[in-house]
Amino acid sequence: MYASTWREYALAQMTGASRVEKLFAAIIEKRVLVLVLWLALVPGAAWLALQLPSDGAIDRLVVEKDPDVVRTRAFQQVFPEGRQVVLLFEPQGDVFAPVVVRELAAVEDALGTVKGVVSFSALSLFRRREADLAAEGFASRFRTFAEGSSFFRRQGLVGEHHLSLAVTFVAPSTKERDATLGELDRVLKTVPHASLGEPRRVGQPYVEEWLETETASATLRYFPLFGAFVVVLVLALYRSWRALLAILVTLGVTVLLSMALGQLFGFTLTIVSELVPLVVLVTATATLVYLHSRYIQQPEDATLEQHHVFALANKALPVTASIVAALLGFAALAVSQIRPIREMGVWTASGLALSWLTSFTLFPALQRLLACPTRRGLTSTGRLYARLADALPGFTYRFRWPVLLVATVVMLAGAGSLFGVPGQLTPMRMEVDAVEYIDPSLPLRKDMMAYEKAIAGLAAVRIWVKTEDGAVVEPSTLHALDAFSTAVSNEPGVSSVIGPTTLLRLRRYVAGQGDTLPDDEEAFAEAVADFEQLLLTEKELRGFIDLKSLGQAQLMVVTRRGDAASFEALKGRLDALWKAEQARSPALAKATAEVVGESILQAKIGEHLVPTLVESFGLTAALIFLTFLVVFRSGAARVMAMVPSLFAILATFLVMRLFGIPLNVATILIATTVLGTTENDQVHFFHHYQEAKKDGASAERAMLHTLHVSGHAIIYATLINASGFLALAFSNLPPMRQFGIVSAIAFAFSMLADFTALPAALWVFLRQKPDAKP
């Protein structure tokens, strides 16, 4: 079939070349200029790529227009949330041993020298009563003090086997945050604390720092792995160092310029956009393999100049259509309300457009400048594959119904795994907690889990109380807020509550008057008589009262991590408690309370990720369908070209369900990524199928032509896609690792469907039979 196609091309040249062929001929002729122009862009692109900012914080995935986000951002304008970490020490033996207590005091004193840092512990509070650490019996009296109030235990400051330091600091930027965390570690190393032991480091700042570090380094980790694979594959396929160099240079320029585009667009590297360079690299590699596989198929009667133009023109339509399909697939993510998802879609689409330019300009120029060899009179298919290709049309016709039945059952099972079965199976869970994105084997994850176990909570929500100006500091209002705090602290799942009256309780406790405030209104008013004076002297207290208006206050509620539904339930219970307190306390009659905070926003990420990506997936499918509608006039091509991709996506969700792999910020992109990437194979399949049908070939002969011309390239492209994403299996980020593994599985499923379900569906749709054997 190829020779016939070449003869048609040769005859066409006698009547004049097409515009596309003239364009490719000009590119080849001006190959030195083409190379110089592309290479001239490299230095500037490298500089721009190095300037890309990185932000791995999971809270970047919130929808800014969401009511909870709007309320939380407004709250943070009044009460900027300082960053807080906890150093949890687990000394061997008695946690109140004198040497342990002395070392804890020394550590806390040293941390207090760090600019902008405020530390708090049960010991620091006790030292307000008794400052002399050397006094006889100090440690024993501290034990009595620390164990005498449930406050310290509920806050995680004291436990049977641990003592903790709560450290608060202000760091508006990630650079300042990292500098402060680094300074805390440096100071800690200067203080002897052998009896205390090394602390567990707990807190969102540590999580964010780790995520951003991993996000920034992930690309450097998987690029060499994929690069090594490309070297092996290209040498195995083409056995030419010249071809390898042409491909590597094209890939390098493409990825570098794609990253530079991100900086020009003002984008940021996030846990999601980390995938951009990989998707561009993998897709571009597959495209180059398709182009070079056609390039090496030089007929005996064609000159290299004629054949090179023919190979490019012959692949122009399927390559362009496949890249446009992938580009539209990722561009559909622009409908997302989540900024990193939106940026990732636009960024990837731009990179794919750039890869199309380099594939048809830079790569052909390099092929000729490096004198990449062809294989005259030979095809790129080996004898083993040739036998397989010859057998596939007959096999898929004979077993067309069983193949389609199995494929349908698998797809239905995959859909059920994803969306659930009413009354039988719940939908796949969505994992958005940042802690879950840390490798379970790492110390940070273990430290976070240990702390959560110690205090029964890692999440904190804020109750934002608003009333008339000046009313918050009135004794009657403080009394009502104290009663409300007590009611909230008794709620199931609530570890502790800290509010405006917490410091007043602790002050009474230090004075030996117990850790509660009087119930009697007159006695309460006497206990809080100097509250306004305390606002001026106690920095910690000012974090709970708005000094400008004295009409707003906040309470911090520490609870367990959960999903959006669990936080909504908590908000409902808190609202009920607030209304009950309002009914009892006239001081709160005109007050309002709203539950806000970053923990709620993080839990809602999944709530927004699922619908926005379902919407973008539907748009992706529609755009790709329209692309096929323009490229292929056949109804069968339009409908069945998407069968392998849909089979791969749904089969992958089934695998995820069977092996307990959750949906998260990475794996939820499987559908869009696989649909946008694997359509390349179907485009090339149907392009060459219709190429043969135009010559009057039967269905079987058309399939044979397709399998011999593009089948090998489909296998190689699948290997490239699978291996490229499988490189993510070495990531320290569990979502990236899971995404890499399931993506590779999806590409394998797509290739399986390309060679089985797709031909079987064609046989059924066309209602034809294989050619009669002589």
Coordinates of all heavy atoms in Angstrom, one line a residue, residues 657-731:
R657 N -10.1 1.5 41.8 CA -11.0 1.1 42.9 C -10.6 -0.2 43.5 O -10.6 -0.4 44.7 CB -12.4 1.0 42.3 CG -13.5 0.8 43.3 CD -13.6 2.0 44.2 NE -14.6 1.9 45.2 CZ -15.7 2.6 45.3 NH1 -15.9 3.6 44.4 NH2 -16.5 2.5 46.3
L658 N -10.1 -1.1 42.6 CA -9.7 -2.5 43.1 C -8.5 -2.4 44.0 O -8.4 -3.2 45.0 CB -9.4 -3.4 41.9 CG -10.7 -3.8 41.1 CD1 -10.2 -4.6 39.9 CD2 -11.7 -4.6 42.0
F659 N -7.6 -1.5 43.7 CA -6.3 -1.4 44.5 C -6.3 -0.2 45.5 O -5.3 0.1 46.1 CB -5.1 -1.2 43.6 CG -4.8 -2.5 42.8 CD1 -5.4 -2.7 41.6 CD2 -4.0 -3.5 43.4 CE1 -5.1 -3.9 40.9 CE2 -3.7 -4.6 42.7 CZ -4.3 -4.9 41.5
G660 N -7.5 0.4 45.7 CA -7.6 1.4 46.7 C -6.9 2.7 46.4 O -6.5 3.4 47.4
I661 N -6.7 3.0 45.2 CA -6.0 4.3 44.8 C -7.1 5.4 44.8 O -8.0 5.3 44.0 CB -5.3 4.2 43.4 CG1 -4.2 3.1 43.5 CG2 -4.7 5.5 43.1 CD1 -3.6 2.8 42.2
P662 N -6.9 6.5 45.6 CA -8.0 7.5 45.7 C -7.9 8.5 44.5 O -6.9 8.6 43.9 CB -7.7 8.1 47.0 CG -6.2 8.1 47.1 CD -5.8 6.7 46.5
L663 N -9.0 9.2 44.4 CA -8.9 10.4 43.6 C -8.3 11.5 44.4 O -8.5 11.7 45.6 CB -10.4 10.9 43.2 CG -11.1 10.0 42.2 CD1 -12.6 10.5 42.1 CD2 -10.5 10.0 40.8
N664 N -7.4 12.3 43.7 CA -6.7 13.4 44.4 C -6.4 14.5 43.3 O -6.9 14.3 42.2 CB -5.5 13.0 45.2 CG -4.5 12.2 44.3 OD1 -4.2 12.6 43.2 ND2 -4.0 11.1 44.8
V665 N -5.7 15.5 43.7 CA -5.5 16.6 42.8 C -4.7 16.1 41.5 O -4.8 16.8 40.5 CB -4.7 17.7 43.4 CG1 -5.5 18.3 44.5 CG2 -3.3 17.2 44.0
A666 N -4.1 15.0 41.6 CA -3.3 14.5 40.4 C -4.2 13.4 39.6 O -4.4 13.6 38.4 CB -2.0 13.9 40.8
T667 N -4.6 12.4 40.3 CA -5.3 11.3 39.7 C -6.6 11.7 39.1 O -7.1 11.1 38.2 CB -5.5 10.1 40.6 OG1 -6.2 10.5 41.8 CG2 -4.2 9.5 41.1
I668 N -7.2 12.8 39.6 CA -8.5 13.2 39.0 C -8.3 13.8 37.6 O -9.2 13.9 36.8 CB -9.2 14.3 39.9 CG1 -10.7 14.3 39.6 CG2 -8.5 15.6 39.8 CD1 -11.5 15.1 40.6
L669 N -7.0 14.1 37.2 CA -6.7 14.6 35.9 C -6.5 13.4 34.9 O -6.2 13.7 33.7 CB -5.5 15.4 35.9 CG -5.5 16.8 36.7 CD1 -4.2 17.4 36.8 CD2 -6.5 17.7 36.0
I670 N -6.7 12.2 35.3 CA -6.4 11.0 34.5 C -7.3 11.1 33.2 O -6.8 10.9 32.1 CB -6.7 9.7 35.2 CG1 -5.6 9.4 36.2 CG2 -7.0 8.6 34.3 CD1 -4.3 8.9 35.4
A671 N -8.6 11.4 33.4 CA -9.5 11.3 32.3 C -9.1 12.3 31.2 O -9.0 12.0 30.0 CB -10.9 11.6 32.7
T672 N -8.9 13.6 31.6 CA -8.5 14.6 30.6 C -7.2 14.3 29.9 O -7.0 14.4 28.7 CB -8.5 16.0 31.2 OG1 -9.8 16.3 31.8 CG2 -8.1 17.0 30.2
T673 N -6.2 13.9 30.8 CA -4.9 13.6 30.3 C -4.9 12.4 29.3 O -4.3 12.5 28.2 CB -3.9 13.3 31.4 OG1 -3.9 14.4 32.3 CG2 -2.5 13.0 30.9
V674 N -5.5 11.3 29.6 CA -5.5 10.2 28.8 C -6.3 10.4 27.5 O -5.9 10.1 26.4 CB -6.1 9.0 29.6 CG1 -6.3 7.8 28.6 CG2 -5.2 8.6 30.7
L675 N -7.5 11.1 27.6 CA -8.3 11.4 26.4 C -7.5 12.3 25.5 O -7.5 12.1 24.3 CB -9.6 12.0 26.8 CG -10.6 12.3 25.7 CD1 -11.0 11.0 25.0 CD2 -11.8 13.0 26.2
G676 N -6.9 13.3 26.0 CA -6.1 14.2 25.2 C -4.9 13.6 24.6 O -4.4 14.1 23.5
T677 N -4.3 12.7 25.3 CA -3.0 12.1 24.8 C -3.2 10.9 23.9 O -2.5 10.8 22.9 CB -2.1 11.7 26.0 OG1 -2.0 12.9 26.9 CG2 -0.7 11.3 25.6
T678 N -4.1 10.0 24.2 CA -4.2 8.7 23.5 C -4.9 8.9 22.1 O -4.9 8.0 21.3 CB -4.9 7.7 24.3 OG1 -6.2 8.1 24.7 CG2 -4.1 7.3 25.6
E679 N -5.6 10.0 22.0 CA -6.3 10.2 20.7 C -5.3 10.3 19.5 O -5.7 10.1 18.4 CB -7.1 11.5 20.7 CG -8.4 11.4 21.6 CD -9.3 10.3 21.1 OE1 -9.5 10.1 19.9 OE2 -9.8 9.6 22.0
N680 N -4.0 10.6 19.8 CA -3.0 10.6 18.7 C -3.1 9.2 18.0 O -3.0 9.2 16.7 CB -1.6 10.7 19.3 CG -1.5 12.1 20.0 OD1 -2.3 12.9 19.9 ND2 -0.3 12.3 20.5
D681 N -3.1 8.1 18.7 CA -3.1 6.8 18.1 C -4.3 6.6 17.2 O -4.2 6.1 16.0 CB -3.0 5.7 19.2 CG -1.8 5.8 20.0 OD1 -0.8 6.5 19.6 OD2 -1.9 5.3 21.2
Q682 N -5.5 7.0 17.7 CA -6.7 6.8 16.9 C -6.7 7.7 15.6 O -7.2 7.3 14.6 CB -7.9 7.1 17.7 CG -8.2 6.0 18.7 CD -7.5 6.2 20.0 OE1 -7.8 7.2 20.7 NE2 -6.6 5.4 20.5
V683 N -6.1 8.9 15.7 CA -6.1 9.8 14.6 C -5.2 9.1 13.5 O -5.6 9.1 12.3 CB -5.5 11.2 15.0 CG1 -5.2 12.0 13.7 CG2 -6.5 11.9 15.8
H684 N -4.0 8.6 13.9 CA -3.1 8.0 12.9 C -3.8 6.7 12.3 O -3.6 6.5 11.1 CB -1.8 7.7 13.6 CG -0.9 8.9 13.8 ND1 -0.1 9.4 12.8 CD2 -0.8 9.7 14.8 CE1 0.5 10.5 13.3 NE2 0.1 10.7 14.5
F685 N -4.5 6.0 13.2 CA -5.1 4.8 12.7 C -6.1 5.1 11.6 O -6.1 4.5 10.5 CB -5.8 4.1 13.9 CG -6.4 2.8 13.6 CD1 -5.8 1.6 13.9 CD2 -7.7 2.7 13.0 CE1 -6.3 0.3 13.6 CE2 -8.2 1.5 12.7 CZ -7.6 0.3 13.0
F686 N -7.0 6.0 11.9 CA -8.1 6.3 10.9 C -7.5 7.1 9.7 O -8.1 6.9 8.6 CB -9.2 7.1 11.6 CG -10.2 6.1 12.2 CD1 -10.2 6.0 13.6 CD2 -11.1 5.4 11.5 CE1 -11.0 5.1 14.2 CE2 -12.0 4.6 12.1 CZ -12.0 4.4 13.5
H687 N -6.5 7.8 9.9 CA -5.9 8.5 8.7 C -5.4 7.5 7.7 O -5.7 7.6 6.5 CB -4.8 9.5 9.2 CG -4.0 10.0 8.0 ND1 -4.5 11.0 7.2 CD2 -2.8 9.7 7.5 CE1 -3.6 11.3 6.3 NE2 -2.6 10.6 6.4
H688 N -4.7 6.6 8.1 CA -4.1 5.6 7.2 C -5.2 4.6 6.7 O -5.1 4.0 5.6 CB -2.9 4.9 7.9 CG -1.7 5.8 8.1 ND1 -1.0 6.3 7.0 CD2 -1.2 6.3 9.2 CE1 -0.1 7.1 7.5 NE2 -0.1 7.1 8.8
Y689 N -6.2 4.3 7.6 CA -7.3 3.5 7.2 C -8.0 4.1 6.0 O -8.3 3.5 4.9 CB -8.2 3.2 8.3 CG -9.4 2.4 8.0 CD1 -9.3 1.0 8.0 CD2 -10.7 3.0 7.6 CE1 -10.4 0.2 7.6 CE2 -11.8 2.2 7.3 CZ -11.6 0.8 7.3 OH -12.7 0.0 7.0
Q690 N -8.3 5.4 6.1 CA -9.0 6.1 5.0 C -8.1 6.3 3.8 O -8.6 6.3 2.7 CB -9.5 7.4 5.5 CG -10.7 7.3 6.5 CD -11.4 8.6 6.7 OE1 -10.8 9.7 6.7 NE2 -12.7 8.5 7.0
E691 N -6.8 6.4 4.1 CA -5.8 6.5 3.0 C -5.9 5.3 2.1 O -5.9 5.4 0.8 CB -4.5 6.6 3.6 CG -3.3 6.8 2.6 CD -2.0 7.0 3.3 OE1 -1.5 5.9 3.9 OE2 -1.4 8.0 3.3
A692 N -6.1 4.1 2.7 CA -6.2 2.9 1.9 C -7.6 2.8 1.2 O -7.7 2.3 0.1 CB -5.9 1.7 2.8
K693 N -8.6 3.2 2.0 CA -10.0 3.1 1.4 C -10.1 4.0 0.2 O -10.9 3.6 -0.7 CB -11.0 3.5 2.5 CG -11.1 2.6 3.7 CD -11.6 1.2 3.3 CE -13.1 1.3 3.0 NZ -13.7 -0.1 2.6
K694 N -9.4 5.1 0.1 CA -9.5 5.9 -1.1 C -9.0 5.2 -2.3 O -9.3 5.6 -3.4 CB -8.7 7.2 -0.9 CG -9.3 8.2 0.1 CD -8.5 9.4 0.4 CE -9.1 10.4 1.3 NZ -8.3 11.6 1.6
D695 N -8.1 4.3 -2.1 CA -7.5 3.5 -3.2 C -8.5 2.3 -3.6 O -8.1 1.5 -4.4 CB -6.2 2.9 -2.9 CG -5.1 4.0 -2.9 OD1 -5.4 5.1 -3.4 OD2 -4.0 3.8 -2.3
G696 N -9.6 2.2 -2.9 CA -10.6 1.2 -3.2 C -10.3 -0.1 -2.5 O -10.8 -1.2 -2.9
A697 N -9.5 -0.1 -1.4 CA -9.2 -1.3 -0.7 C -10.4 -1.8 0.1 O -11.2 -1.0 0.5 CB -8.0 -1.0 0.3
S698 N -10.4 -3.1 0.3 CA -11.5 -3.7 1.2 C -11.2 -3.3 2.6 O -10.1 -2.8 3.0 CB -11.5 -5.2 1.0 OG -10.2 -5.7 1.5
A699 N -12.1 -3.6 3.5 CA -11.9 -3.3 4.9 C -10.7 -4.0 5.5 O -9.9 -3.5 6.2 CB -13.1 -3.7 5.7
E700 N -10.5 -5.3 5.1 CA -9.4 -6.1 5.6 C -8.0 -5.5 5.1 O -7.1 -5.3 5.8 CB -9.5 -7.5 5.2 CG -8.3 -8.4 5.7 CD -8.4 -9.8 5.3 OE1 -9.2 -10.1 4.3 OE2 -7.7 -10.7 5.9
R701 N -8.0 -5.2 3.8 CA -6.8 -4.6 3.2 C -6.5 -3.2 3.8 O -5.3 -2.9 4.1 CB -6.9 -4.5 1.7 CG -7.1 -5.8 0.9 CD -5.9 -6.7 1.2 NE -4.6 -6.1 0.7 CZ -3.4 -6.7 1.0 NH1 -3.4 -7.8 1.7 NH2 -2.3 -6.1 0.5
A702 N -7.5 -2.4 4.1 CA -7.3 -1.1 4.7 C -6.7 -1.3 6.1 O -5.9 -0.5 6.6 CB -8.6 -0.4 4.8
M703 N -7.3 -2.3 6.8 CA -6.7 -2.6 8.2 C -5.3 -3.0 8.1 O -4.4 -2.6 8.9 CB -7.6 -3.6 8.9 CG -8.9 -3.1 9.4 SD -9.7 -4.4 10.4 CE -11.4 -3.8 10.4
L704 N -5.0 -3.8 7.2 CA -3.6 -4.3 7.0 C -2.6 -3.1 6.7 O -1.6 -3.0 7.3 CB -3.5 -5.4 5.9 CG -4.0 -6.8 6.3 CD1 -4.1 -7.6 5.0 CD2 -3.2 -7.4 7.3
H705 N -3.1 -2.3 5.8 CA -2.3 -1.1 5.5 C -2.0 -0.3 6.8 O -0.9 0.2 7.0 CB -3.0 -0.3 4.4 CG -2.3 1.1 4.2 ND1 -1.1 1.2 3.5 CD2 -2.8 2.3 4.6 CE1 -0.8 2.5 3.5 NE2 -1.8 3.2 4.1
T706 N -3.1 0.0 7.5 CA -3.0 0.8 8.7 C -2.1 0.2 9.7 O -1.2 0.9 10.3 CB -4.4 0.9 9.3 OG1 -5.3 1.6 8.4 CG2 -4.4 1.8 10.6
L707 N -2.2 -1.1 10.0 CA -1.4 -1.8 11.0 C 0.1 -1.8 10.6 O 0.9 -1.6 11.4 CB -1.9 -3.2 11.2 CG -3.3 -3.3 11.9 CD1 -3.8 -4.7 11.8 CD2 -3.3 -2.8 13.3
H708 N 0.3 -2.0 9.3 CA 1.7 -2.0 8.9 C 2.4 -0.7 8.8 O 3.6 -0.5 9.1 CB 1.8 -2.7 7.5 CG 1.8 -4.2 7.5 ND1 2.8 -5.0 7.8 CD2 0.7 -5.0 7.3 CE1 2.5 -6.2 7.8 NE2 1.2 -6.3 7.5
V709 N 1.6 0.4 8.5 CA 2.2 1.7 8.4 C 2.3 2.4 9.8 O 3.3 3.0 10.1 CB 1.4 2.6 7.4 CG1 1.8 4.0 7.5 CG2 1.5 2.0 6.0
S710 N 1.2 2.3 10.6 CA 1.2 3.1 11.8 C 1.2 2.2 13.1 O 1.3 2.7 14.2 CB -0.1 4.0 11.9 OG -1.3 3.2 11.9
G711 N 0.9 0.9 12.9 CA 0.8 0.0 14.1 C 2.1 0.0 15.0 O 2.0 0.1 16.2
H712 N 3.2 -0.1 14.3 CA 4.5 -0.1 15.1 C 4.6 1.2 15.8 O 5.0 1.3 17.0 CB 5.7 -0.3 14.1 CG 6.5 -1.5 14.6 ND1 7.5 -2.0 13.8 CD2 6.5 -2.2 15.7 CE1 8.1 -3.0 14.4 NE2 7.5 -3.1 15.6
A713 N 4.3 2.3 15.1 CA 4.4 3.7 15.8 C 3.5 3.8 16.9 O 3.8 4.4 17.9 CB 4.2 4.7 14.7
I714 N 2.3 3.2 16.8 CA 1.3 3.2 18.0 C 1.9 2.5 19.2 O 1.8 3.0 20.3 CB 0.0 2.6 17.5 CG1 -0.8 3.5 16.5 CG2 -0.9 2.3 18.8 CD1 -2.0 2.9 16.0
I715 N 2.6 1.4 18.9 CA 3.2 0.7 20.0 C 4.3 1.5 20.7 O 4.4 1.6 21.9 CB 3.8 -0.7 19.5 CG1 2.6 -1.6 19.1 CG2 4.6 -1.4 20.6 CD1 3.1 -2.9 18.5
Y716 N 5.1 2.1 19.8 CA 6.2 2.9 20.3 C 5.7 4.1 21.1 O 6.2 4.5 22.1 CB 7.2 3.3 19.2 CG 7.8 2.2 18.5 CD1 8.1 2.2 17.1 CD2 8.2 1.0 19.2 CE1 8.7 1.2 16.5 CE2 8.8 0.0 18.6 CZ 9.1 0.1 17.2 OH 9.7 -1.0 16.6
A717 N 4.7 4.8 20.5 CA 4.1 5.9 21.2 C 3.5 5.6 22.5 O 3.6 6.3 23.5 CB 3.0 6.5 20.3
T718 N 2.9 4.4 22.6 CA 2.4 3.9 23.9 C 3.5 3.7 24.9 O 3.4 4.1 26.1 CB 1.6 2.6 23.7 OG1 0.5 2.9 22.8 CG2 1.0 2.1 25.1
L719 N 4.6 3.1 24.4 CA 5.7 2.9 25.3 C 6.3 4.2 25.8 O 6.7 4.4 27.0 CB 6.8 2.1 24.6 CG 6.6 0.6 24.3 CD1 7.7 0.1 23.5 CD2 6.6 -0.1 25.7
I720 N 6.3 5.2 24.9 CA 6.8 6.5 25.3 C 5.9 7.2 26.3 O 6.3 7.6 27.4 CB 6.9 7.4 24.1 CG1 8.0 6.9 23.2 CG2 7.1 8.9 24.4 CD1 8.0 7.5 21.8
N721 N 4.6 7.1 26.1 CA 3.6 7.7 27.0 C 3.7 7.1 28.3 O 3.8 7.7 29.4 CB 2.2 7.6 26.4 CG 2.0 8.5 25.2 OD1 2.7 9.5 25.1 ND2 1.0 8.2 24.4
A722 N 3.6 5.7 28.3 CA 3.6 5.0 29.6 C 4.9 5.2 30.4 O 4.9 5.4 31.6 CB 3.4 3.5 29.3
S723 N 6.0 5.1 29.7 CA 7.3 5.2 30.4 C 7.5 6.7 30.9 O 8.1 6.9 32.0 CB 8.5 4.9 29.4 OG 8.3 3.5 29.0
G724 N 7.1 7.6 30.1 CA 7.2 9.0 30.5 C 6.4 9.3 31.8 O 7.0 9.8 32.8
F725 N 5.2 8.8 31.9 CA 4.4 9.1 33.1 C 4.8 8.1 34.2 O 4.7 8.5 35.4 CB 2.9 8.9 32.8 CG 2.3 10.1 32.1 CD1 2.4 10.2 30.7 CD2 1.8 11.1 32.8 CE1 1.8 11.3 30.1 CE2 1.3 12.3 32.2 CZ 1.3 12.3 30.8
L726 N 5.4 7.0 33.9 CA 5.8 6.0 34.9 C 7.0 6.6 35.6 O 7.3 6.1 36.8 CB 6.1 4.7 34.2 CG 6.2 3.4 35.2 CD1 4.9 3.3 35.9 CD2 6.5 2.2 34.4
A727 N 7.7 7.5 35.0 CA 8.9 8.1 35.7 C 8.4 8.8 37.0 O 9.2 9.0 38.0 CB 9.6 9.1 34.8
L728 N 7.1 9.2 37.0 CA 6.6 9.9 38.2 C 6.4 8.9 39.4 O 6.2 9.3 40.5 CB 5.2 10.4 37.9 CG 5.1 11.6 37.0 CD1 3.7 12.0 36.7 CD2 5.9 12.8 37.6
A729 N 6.6 7.6 39.1 CA 6.5 6.6 40.2 C 7.7 6.8 41.2 O 7.6 6.3 42.3 CB 6.6 5.2 39.6
F730 N 8.7 7.5 40.8 CA 9.8 7.8 41.7 C 9.7 9.1 42.5 O 10.5 9.5 43.2 CB 11.1 7.8 40.9 CG 11.5 6.5 40.2 CD1 11.1 6.2 38.9 CD2 12.2 5.6 40.9 CE1 11.4 5.0 38.3 CE2 12.5 4.3 40.3 CZ 12.1 4.1 39.0
S731 N 8.5 9.7 42.3 CA 8.3 11.0 43.0 C 8.0 10.7 44.5 O 7.4 9.6 44.8 CB 7.0 11.7 42.4 OG 6.7 12.8 43.2

